[in-house]
Amino acid sequence: MVFADVGAHEPVARGEDPGAWCGQCGVALAEGDHARCARRAELEPPRYCVHCRRRMKVQVTPGTWTATCIEHGSVERSTWA
């Protein structure tokens, strides 16, 4: 299952459930300041699943990136947008 063009902070978020973990640093969203993570998310794919905090398999090509959690599926985003 692949979810295309989802928000940068919510790589495999499901509608109303944005997840509890930061997709960039893996720390709980309720803890600390994630301003730096938000800036990184504009340029880089997420590294952690927002639902289970697992490291995701990330593949970057010139046209897209894909991040995959073995439990929650994949998200793909164009690098041109």
Side-chain angles (χ1 to χ4, degrees):
M1 117 181 60
V2 174
F3 298 90
D5 208 33
V6 183
H9 251 332
E10 301 163 0
V12 290
R14 306 287 196 277
E16 308 259 331
D17 184 11
W21 307 100
C22 175
Q24 293 298 319
C25 68
V27 174
L29 289 175
E31 295 178 19
D33 180 20
H34 292 278
R36 182 174 180 216
C37 297
R39 289 191 305 271
R40 280 181 51 202
E42 293 174 10
L43 301 173
E44 297 180 15
R47 304 297 176 175
Y48 294 89
C49 177
V50 298
H51 297 291
C52 64
R53 196 182 187 188
R54 285 189 174 118
R55 286 282 287 176
M56 295 197 294
K57 179 180 87 175
V58 177
Q59 181 176 12
V60 179
T61 65
T64 61
W65 59 253
T66 304
T68 304
C69 171
I70 61 171
E71 182 70 24
H72 295 101
S74 297
V75 63
E76 182 177 90
R77 175 171 286 165
S78 170
T79 57
W80 297 101

